[in-house]
Amino acid sequence: MEETQVTSTASDGGAAEASIDPSWWAPAVVDENGLSRGNECPEVLSLDLARLRAEAQVDAGEDSLRTRVLDVLAKAASPMLVPDNWAEPYAPAMEIGNRRSFVPDDLSKPELELLARLVPLIEEPALRARVADIAWSYGNRGNMDLLSAAVDAYRSVPLERDAWLDAGRDGWRRALELSLRRGKAGRQIVMEMTTELAEFLLAKDGSAGFMLTEISDLLRKVRSVDQAPRDLADHFVSLAATVAGNHRLRRAYERHACTWFSRAGETDLANECIERVALAYIDEADERLAQDRGALVAGMFIEKSIATIRGLPRKYRSARGLDGQLQQLRDRLADMRELSLEEMMLIQSDPIDITPFVEDARKRVSGKERLEALVSLAGIVPLIDATKAMAAARERMQGSVSHLFGSSTFSTDARKVATRAGLGVGEPSDEAVFAEVVRSFTWGIDLHVKAFIYPALEALMLEHRFDIGFLTNICYESPAVPPGHVGLWARGLWHGLSRDFPSAISMLVPQVEQLVRVHLKAHGIFTLFVDENGVETEKGLNTLLEMPESLQLLGPDLTLELRALLCEQLGPNLRNDLAHGLLNDPKSWSAAAVYAWWLCLRLVVVPYYGMLMKAQAENGSAGETTDVERPS
């Protein structure tokens, strides 16, 4: 590399300092073989520049020009370029909590001026573009030479696969963005760049891979391509035919062909591209099955094929006979999902000894009067702490790689009932955390029922008999039970005490919805949907529980329990399965059914007993109430 030196002028008074020597940063821009690293991302060079800065500080002192030059270069190279964000084009390389790494906003005015003086000395395209871009974007925007230097340096990164993946992709995007913002002054540069990109695209074959689709995206964004869209569309169709074995790349090429056909006004040809995308999904599903790689993954490609075909215009589907193919694909998907359930493995942890919990649960209800024992059963386990559960779920997700990947949930009859996309490396969203809480809550239901609720119920029923009249009296007095629903609540609770849980939840789960609705209305909260004709329809349980007023009235703990148990596809979903006739025999006898009955018992008995104890305290009565009577 030819060494060039310039004299730097101190900003504090105009006194001349020693010359800036490009050899100071030369070790950072060549590899161990002496080859240039000029097309590598500046972020990769920042660590080597920081090392050189540390060496310069030891050798020449912290205030030396050499140290300051290497320091500002390391700072400029550190942040990540975000080419599509005009307002904030650079983001910190690292963010941990409230702390972050360096961004250009942290540069002082003298540092920005020093960067501007370094631009003519830097030969490596990527580093030169970065320094010029930051010096112009965050410094003197009136210096158009800096802007031109940045654009020219970004464009000089060659259109080669490795260079494109390193610095070219973002660099060319940033150069186009900078040029487009210049208006008339940048039009010629934009035209030159798009022409070069289009010519490169048309000259390449499928070996260039996804680089061609990324270039196509750039051209589509500019919208001023001096190239016939039909030529680009035909070329992508040809490319797709040559990469038939690479299904993902084939679909990408067909989609870009569709875009360019649409730009050219060739709607039928664009639809044909989308039809071939659907066929590519089917081909990949067949290939997965032939390679015995699992029906679950193959089924996902059939799903994609169905969705793709349904996205085509109805008229086109009818003309091509695709509606019949849709039905065939739906039949295939149903078969694949059933096969997927058969292929799934049961994952078990080590057994947990719940004997101490079982014994404690039985002791807590034994030897007590009838009402007191029933209250002990109703309070045998606490409700979930929503705040702690959300915090614990968020902490688990942040410390695990599992949330990086998507997941799907299937019902026992092979329906896909829920799905979650991969969450990436950022902070998990509240929706994702809530889904994790629902999953954890569902797993905990089985333990709560087997270790606490059912053993306590057995001990209770061994010592006491509960008739309908006794339970009816409690329901009449309980502030939770709406008027006119006492008999239904009493009979539902009685079925549970008799261990007829299918009958219990069939009666009680719909009553929970009405309980929530009545209590919301009692506090003046509107619970109706009103259509454009003024017809009023009651909101369903899930909609009611999602209302902020429900959270305030019921509290976060009970609201979470009701949503997770009754309304969420990731949970038992008892309310919806019951309402739509999807509740089968095994699920009606499941731990979730027992827990739902127990939660209803708690809703009725705990507030009633609290009211009773308060009345006794106010009346100064002593002793325990052993029975209840309906008021006359």
Side-chain angles (χ1 to χ4, degrees), residues 462-498:
L462 188 64
E463 297 182 8
H464 302 286
R465 185 183 68 84
F466 294 89
D467 56 82
I468 291 287
F470 177 82
L471 296 170
T472 299
N473 291 335
I474 291 178
C475 291
Y476 262 110
E477 293 290 336
S478 175
V481 178
H485 295 254
V486 170
L488 292 169
W489 275 92
R491 190 162 292 276
L493 295 178
W494 178 77
H495 280 304
L497 288 169
S498 303

Side-chain angles (χ1 to χ4, degrees), residues 100 171 184 202 214 237 340 400 416 533 593:
R100 61 164 174 79
K184 287 184 178 181
L202 290 171
E214 291 168 351
V237 171
S340 298
S400 170
K416 180 186 282 190
N533 298 317

Side-chain angles (χ1 to χ4, degrees), residues 86 89-90 104 107 112-113 115-116 119 128-151 154 174 177-179 181-182:
W86 179 255
Y90 290 94
L107 289 169
L112 288 168
E113 292 173 350
L115 280 178
V119 172
R128 179 186 174 94
R130 171 65 61 87
V131 171
D133 190 356
I134 289 179
W136 180 82
S137 299
Y138 295 84
N140 182 11
R141 290 206 171 193
N143 188 342
M144 303 311 294
D145 290 339
L146 284 176
L147 177 59
S148 297
V151 172
Y154 279 131
R174 179 63 174 166
E177 186 70 25
L178 290 170
S179 300
R181 296 279 180 164
R182 294 186 66 182

Side-chain angles (χ1 to χ4, degrees), residues 318-338:
S318 178
R320 303 281 290 191
L322 295 178
D323 288 328
Q325 187 178 14
L326 267 179
Q327 187 56 50
Q328 294 175 5
L329 289 172
R330 291 189 181 104
D331 293 340
R332 283 193 67 184
L333 180 60
D335 292 339
M336 285 183 179
R337 285 181 172 171
E338 289 183 5

Side-chain angles (χ1 to χ4, degrees), residues 83-84 86 147 150-152 154-155 164 168-183 186-197 214-225:
D84 294 329
W86 179 255
L147 177 59
V151 172
D152 291 343
Y154 279 131
R155 290 176 60 189
W164 180 261
R169 174 172 47 199
D170 288 345
W172 277 76
R173 289 167 65 188
R174 179 63 174 166
L176 280 170
E177 186 70 25
L178 290 170
S179 300
L180 286 168
R181 296 279 180 164
R182 294 186 66 182
R187 286 179 186 174
Q188 182 60 36
I189 296 175
V190 170
M191 190 60 65
E192 291 174 1
M193 293 179 67
T194 55
T195 299
E196 184 177 356
L197 289 169
E214 291 168 351
I215 290 176
S216 176
D217 285 332
L218 280 178
L219 295 175
R220 288 192 297 112
K221 178 180 178 181
V222 174
R223 296 181 178 274
S224 60
V225 181

Side-chain angles (χ1 to χ4, degrees), residues 214-280:
E214 291 168 351
I215 290 176
S216 176
D217 285 332
L218 280 178
L219 295 175
R220 288 192 297 112
K221 178 180 178 181
V222 174
R223 296 181 178 274
S224 60
V225 181
D226 189 20
Q227 185 73 43
R230 179 64 186 265
D231 293 342
L232 294 170
D234 288 337
H235 186 59
F236 271 116
V237 171
S238 300
L239 289 174
T242 64
V243 295
N246 187 336
H247 302 292
R248 181 165 168 259
L249 185 59
R250 171 186 165 194
R251 292 191 294 267
Y253 285 163
E254 290 285 7
R255 286 193 174 99
H256 280 266
C258 171
T259 299
W260 291 112
F261 276 132
S262 298
R263 182 79 67 89
E266 300 283 357
T267 304
D268 286 341
L269 292 176
N271 288 334
E272 288 179 12
C273 294
I274 298 302
E275 182 181 350
R276 288 192 292 270
V277 170
L279 294 176

Side-chain angles (χ1 to χ4, degrees), residues 363-421:
K363 290 178 181 178
R364 289 171 63 181
V365 299
S366 298
K368 298 181 178 180
E369 297 294 339
R370 183 165 59 163
L371 177 59
E372 186 181 355
L374 188 64
V375 172
S376 297
L377 172 60
I380 198 71
V381 290
L383 295 180
I384 188 172
D385 187 317
T387 303
K388 289 183 179 179
M390 292 288 285
R394 190 179 298 277
E395 183 177 354
R396 285 197 305 272
M397 295 178 74
Q398 290 174 334
S400 170
V401 298
S402 62
H403 75 282
L404 300 178
F405 310 102
S407 65
S408 298
T409 302
F410 292 85
S411 65
T412 55
D413 59 353
R415 290 177 297 112
K416 180 186 282 190
V417 296
T419 185
R420 175 181 61 79

